[in-house]
Amino acid sequence: DGEWVVDLRHRKAFCEGHVAGTLNFGLDGSLATYLAWLIPWGTPVTLLGETAADVAAAQRELVRVGIDRPAAAATGGRSMPTRT
């Protein structure tokens, strides 16, 4: 439905396995810059991270570029996040 699902893991972990249709903007790169540049304004975003701390770190970065609140977030292991 137009929602962007963003996997926050390192690109190597993403390549090892990820949820179909997700995009990878790792916390080790310029997450906020790239996502804000590419995403149409107002598009819902779901953040997938290995830990709740990863999701919180991404939220802190994204609020600086006007993405104030993700539509959803989930955490889980290296290959398949589980919804929280």
Side-chain angles (χ1 to χ4, degrees):
D1 293 333
E3 181 173 353
W4 282 38
V5 180
V6 178
D7 190 319
L8 301 169
R9 297 173 302 149
H10 187 274
R11 64 187 164 273
K12 288 182 181 179
F14 181 80
C15 288
E16 291 173 3
H18 57 273
V19 176
T22 59
L23 302 168
N24 179 239
F25 293 96
L27 288 172
D28 59 325
S30 298
L31 163 75
T33 302
Y34 288 125
L35 190 57
W37 182 51
L38 294 171
I39 193 168
W41 181 254
T43 301
V45 176
T46 293
L47 302 174
L48 304 179
E50 286 188 286
T51 67
D54 290 344
V55 171
Q59 286 178 294
R60 281 190 301 276
E61 283 190 43
L62 293 174
V63 77
R64 295 178 184 142
V65 295
I67 301 173
D68 297 331
R69 182 173 290 161
T75 60
R78 286 191 145 312
S79 62
M80 180 61 84
T82 55
R83 197 140 185 115
T84 57

